[in-house]
Amino acid sequence: MTNPLLQDWNTAFRIAPFDMISDEDFAPALEQALAEHSAEIDAIAGAMEAPDFANTIEALEAAGKALDRVLGVFFTVSGADSNPAREALQRQFSPKLAAHFAEISSNKALFRRVAAVWERRDSLLLTPEQARVLMLTHRDFLRAGAALEGAAEARMKAIKGRLAVLGTEFTQNLLADEREWFMPLGEGDLDGLPPFVIDTARKAGEEKEAGGPIVTLSRSLIVPFLQFSSRRDLREKAFRAWAARGANGGKTDNRDIAAEILALRDERAKLLGYESFAAYKLETEMAKSPEAVRSLLMSVWEPAKARAEADAAVLTGMMRDDGINDDLAPWDWRYYAEKRRAAEHDLDEAALKPYFQLDRMIEASFACASRLFGLSFEPLDVPLYHRDCRAWEVTRDGQHVAVFIGDYFARGSKRSGAWCSAMRSQAKFPALQTPIVINVCNFAKGDPALLSYDDARTLFHEFGHALHQMLSDVTYESVSGTSVARDFVELPSQLYEHWLEVPQVLAEFATHAQTGAAMPQAMLDKVLGAANFDMGFQTVEYVASALVDLAFHDGPAPQDPMAKQTEVLDGIGMPTAITMRHATPHFAHVFAGDGYSSGYYSYMWSEVMDADAFEAFQEAGGAFDAERAKALETHILSTGGSRDAAELYTAFRGRLPGVDALLKGRGLAAE
């Protein structure tokens, strides 16, 4: 029987035939795809012709297409719809893939050809994009250790293989802890919970076959529980379980894994001649250095901490009024902050939530993209990997642009958080290919599904990433879409969040789930007026996480990451009632792979730009100014990594931004 992963996909828009693919297909497909890619690499490295851009750099761009297809499908389902078989395959695949790519990056004959093209770059009459691809290819080989010899080369291969294994273990341990813990709620345990939280808890109980409502560690359930439950004892129990993910002892404990990952990263950087892993990692980012990152974070930390401490005093007073003579604790903050929001802004989450229907927020995100960039979205009826997924064809002026897939609901088989990925990225070489882009979220199911305001922001955020992929217009896949500097990649996503706050968008799409009525103007004003509510808390929990991540990688690897975490938090005076957004044992951004390692700061680096970029729209004709939208697409969304990030932003805005717009946007600017 033929393996569907290895066949030509005669499907609509060449989408993977998910209805024909089984878990048994992945391992043999990977083996064959790896062998094909190795043969392609050997042919490039062993070519008799003198190396040039076409037979070396473009040949590398064209290689590995079968492997891309297999991995595009596998990583999609293993992240969003895992099962024991897929988890076992991940553990098998991680070291194989690490060894495969380490073999390519250490191929001396191949590197000599790349280096030869690089040395002749000024005489090759390359286009700007080709020159950029050549530079990135040469740099990637050097940073991967292509110039290492002997024992250093062998050690680098071993480090990469071990890091791949450890990243997979970290992810699966975290998923196991999130999947296995839940807290049953008896009828007497529902005090203070609005109907939408009780409904979500009952649906979670049905999924777990628990015989009644439960609280799980899904953010879409545990956060509203902490906001509304008047049972302080249950809030504490739930929060402690949430905070303890990856640190419960036994086989799913991530603390030793984190320590080994940090040690291996430090050794890897030293093998390449860098002072620290942070110096190695940040060399290719906009920030360039740990000092620049720390300067940004600390410029935000002090005003955020001051705001949080002032807020803590108010919340403590509210707790005293309830007769609780105890210190404000992390499981108290969200509860009293919600009560304060209701009192000061007259905002009731239970009354607000029916206006944020998932389907209407999807419509809103599409409508903004239509007004800004002329895109249209039509539902597609195609087989997908889970019954909850939905697909749309994206067109412009009748021409196909992309396929967009949305997978919005939380389930036990899905890792936590929200993300955007491309099963296929846009490119024109070696053949024209349009993108297939997926947004994955973890919203609570309902009939209809209702979002919090933060959930709606998440939906817009991930769709901003999707637009970066869908509007890409480059030749080479290696610089397509979100293949940009890590501290630039969040700019399109965070910028797109601003359109949710545009009054006319909320006025049109924030309609009541039962009555269909538009959100009353008074409520709309309150929503927008409360946009920066509790921003001290939100900023402190994020910046603390970013500072700990930076400290882990800027200098010798700590033998005890938990002790280092405590040292950093004590050093910055972390408020006792706030915890890191991601404590070390469940800091998947940093330890599930290298993506955000020494780079969690990048959300804030990008926010400096997104606040400034949206000001550009406001300074022009408003949120839907056609000229600014065209500039945004031309200089940022369509260009991928084909030019330097700072150059791209300067082309859009005329200058690089300062931190002032960010502090103003978060309501933290000095009065």
Side-chain angles (χ1 to χ4, degrees):
M1 183 176 179
T2 56
N3 190 318
L5 287 163
L6 299 172
Q7 305 305 306
D8 286 334
W9 295 341
N10 296 314
T11 55
F13 309 109
R14 298 175 65 83
I15 298 173
F18 286 105
D19 55 337
M20 300 173 60
I21 297 169
S22 70
D23 289 344
E24 290 72 27
D25 294 322
F26 286 116
L30 180 71
E31 292 298 333
Q32 183 168 329
L34 287 173
E36 287 183 15
H37 193 211
S38 293
E40 291 168 336
I41 294 299
D42 289 344
I44 299 167
M48 300 302 294
E49 302 85 4
D52 59 27
F53 187 84
N55 66 26
T56 303
I57 307 303
E58 284 192 330
L60 285 170
E61 288 282 328
K65 295 304 181 185
L67 183 59
D68 289 344
R69 291 200 307 164
V70 173
L71 295 181
V73 175
F74 177 72
F75 285 125
T76 294
V77 299
S78 62
D81 191 26
S82 190
N83 59 33
R86 291 168 187 171
E87 290 177 10
L89 287 169
Q90 263 191 298
R91 292 191 293 271
Q92 293 173 29
F93 289 0
S94 293
K96 284 185 179 181
L97 289 169
H100 175 76
F101 288 108
E103 196 66 34
I104 294 172
S105 63
S106 63
N107 186 314
K108 301 303 182 188
L110 180 61
F111 179 58
R112 282 194 296 271
R113 292 183 68 84
V114 171
V117 180
W118 172 249
E119 289 165 5
R120 295 176 49 229
R121 61 191 180 278
D122 293 336
S123 63
L124 297 178
L125 302 178
L126 301 177
T127 67
E129 184 179 335
Q130 288 174 329
R132 175 79 173 169
V133 169
L134 172 58
M135 184 278 291
L136 293 172
T137 303
H138 182 254
R139 187 180 73 181
D140 287 349
F141 269 91
L142 287 175
R143 288 171 57 80
L148 297 178
E149 302 282 353
E153 178 185 357
R155 182 57 185 156
M156 180 63 80
K157 287 183 181 179
I159 288 172
K160 290 179 181 177
R162 181 62 178 159
L163 283 171
V165 170
L166 292 171
T168 299
E169 289 181 1
F170 189 98
T171 302
Q172 294 189 352
N173 288 346
L174 179 55
L175 178 61
D177 278 4
E178 291 174 343
R179 183 173 54 213
E180 292 167 12
W181 186 92
F182 63 88
M183 181 175 69
L185 298 175
E187 289 304 315
D189 300 331
L190 305 177
D191 294 348
L193 299 181
F196 77 86
V197 179
I198 296 173
D199 182 57
T200 301
R202 292 194 191 284
K203 284 184 167 58
E206 291 171 6
E207 183 184 346
K208 295 284 189 184
E209 299 180 348
I214 63 172
V215 175
T216 69
L217 298 182
S218 169
R219 180 174 285 270
S220 62
L221 177 50
I222 196 167
V223 167
F225 180 80
L226 293 170
Q227 284 178 298
F228 293 106
S229 174
S230 57
R231 289 282 302 277
R232 191 176 190 235
D233 58 330
L234 297 182
R235 295 201 310 268
E236 179 179 0
K237 182 179 180 181
F239 183 88
R240 288 190 182 278
W242 196 33
R245 290 169 295 158
N248 288 303
K251 63 181 182 179
T252 63
D253 198 294
N254 276 333
R255 287 171 288 191
D256 288 345
I257 292 175
E260 187 177 354
I261 287 173
L262 293 174
L264 290 171
R265 285 177 179 163
D266 187 47
E267 184 182 359
R268 176 182 175 185
K270 298 286 178 31
L271 283 172
L272 294 170
Y274 293 88
E275 291 183 4
S276 67
F277 184 81
Y280 161 76
K281 188 69 183 294
L282 295 171
E283 178 186 50
T284 60
E285 309 298 334
M286 289 185 73
K288 301 301 181 189
S289 71
E291 293 74 25
V293 172
R294 189 172 288 104
S295 176
L296 168 69
L297 294 174
M298 291 308 297
S299 70
V300 178
W301 173 257
E302 292 302 334
K305 179 185 171 186
R307 174 66 56 82
E309 288 174 338
D311 290 342
V314 175
L315 302 184
T316 300
M318 295 173 67
M319 194 167 73
R320 296 283 188 272
D321 292 342
D322 280 352
I324 301 173
N325 294 312
D326 197 359
D327 292 334
L328 184 72
W331 47 89
D332 298 317
W333 191 292
R334 287 176 175 84
Y335 177 70
Y336 285 100
E338 182 61 33
K339 292 182 72 171
R340 182 187 181 190
R341 185 174 77 141
E344 294 185 1
H345 296 277
D346 193 21
L347 267 181
D348 177 0
E349 180 81 7
L352 180 65
K353 199 158 187 175
Y355 289 97
F356 288 97
Q357 301 174 66
L358 171 61
D359 285 350
R360 294 293 280 152
M361 291 301 103
I362 294 171
E363 288 180 47
S365 68
F366 288 175
C368 291
S370 179
R371 289 191 63 181
L372 289 165
F373 310 115
L375 300 177
S376 298
F377 301 82
E378 289 296 328
L380 278 177
D381 184 12
V382 292
L384 298 169
Y385 61 87
H386 193 278
R387 62 182 177 276
D388 287 343
C389 294
R390 289 183 265 177
W392 293 265
E393 182 191 5
V394 186
T395 61
R396 179 155 58 184
D397 298 328
Q399 298 297 309
H400 177 76
V401 172
V403 171
F404 175 67
I405 298 170
D407 180 2
Y408 295 108
F409 297 127
R411 52 180 175 268
S413 62
K414 183 188 289 186
R415 63 180 170 89
S416 61
W419 64 93
C420 174
S421 60
M423 287 184 59
R424 184 176 69 217
S425 295
Q426 177 271 332
K428 300 172 186 174
F429 177 89
L432 184 68
Q433 62 183 40
T434 54
I436 299 174
V437 188
I438 305 176
N439 277 178
V440 184
C441 300
N442 270 281
F443 303 142
K445 265 192 174 181
D447 187 17
L450 304 178
L451 307 182
S452 67
Y453 191 63
D454 283 346
D455 287 339
R457 288 177 68 95
T458 296
L459 186 147
F460 268 69
H461 178 101
E462 298 306 333
F463 194 70
H465 281 309
L467 287 171
H468 202 181
Q469 295 277 16
M470 292 188 288
L471 292 174
S472 178
D473 185 20
V474 298
T475 300
Y476 300 103
E477 188 172 351
S478 64
V479 292
S480 176
T482 57
S483 297
V484 299
R486 180 63 62 179
D487 50 10
F488 191 70
V489 76
E490 297 297 336
L491 168 60
S493 54
Q494 292 178 188
L495 176 59
Y496 204 64
E497 292 179 32
H498 288 277
W499 274 272
L500 175 63
E501 301 170 355
V502 174
Q504 65 200 86
V505 173
L506 287 175
E508 181 176 358
F509 294 99
T511 56
H512 198 278
Q514 273 74 50
T515 68
M519 181 182 290
Q521 185 64 44
M523 181 180 284
L524 176 59
D525 292 342
K526 291 170 187 174
V527 169
L528 296 175
N532 284 324
F533 179 75
D534 213 23
M535 191 55 73
F537 170 88
Q538 294 178 42
T539 308
V540 161
E541 65 166 5
Y542 165 77
V543 174
S545 298
L547 285 167
V548 168
D549 166 43
L550 184 64
F552 279 160
H553 298 99
D554 185 21
Q559 292 185 333
D560 183 349
M562 300 306 293
K564 184 67 173 180
Q565 173 183 297
T566 300
E567 175 191 322
V568 173
L569 298 181
D570 287 348
I572 60 176
M574 182 75 169
T576 57
I578 306 179
T579 60
M580 292 168 61
R581 184 171 178 84
H582 303 290
T584 298
H586 54 261
F587 208 161
H589 279 80
V590 171
F591 293 107
D594 274 358
Y596 282 90
S597 57
S598 197
Y600 192 62
Y601 77 92
S602 59
Y603 289 95
M604 185 147 284
W605 191 276
S606 293
E607 189 177 344
V608 170
M609 290 182 285
D610 86 63
D612 181 67
F614 195 67
E615 277 197 350
F617 279 87
Q618 294 172 315
E619 290 166 2
F624 293 101
D625 182 77
E627 184 179 333
R628 287 289 83 201
K630 180 64 175 176
L632 180 64
E633 180 178 355
T634 299
H635 298 300
I636 294 176
L637 297 178
S638 70
T639 50
S642 62
R643 291 162 62 193
D644 177 76
E647 179 186 337
L648 292 175
Y649 190 83
T650 302
F652 166 72
R653 190 67 163 114
R655 56 167 173 75
L656 290 174
V659 75
D660 294 346
L662 179 147
L663 292 174
K664 178 183 174 183
R666 284 187 170 240
L668 299 173
E671 296 182 4

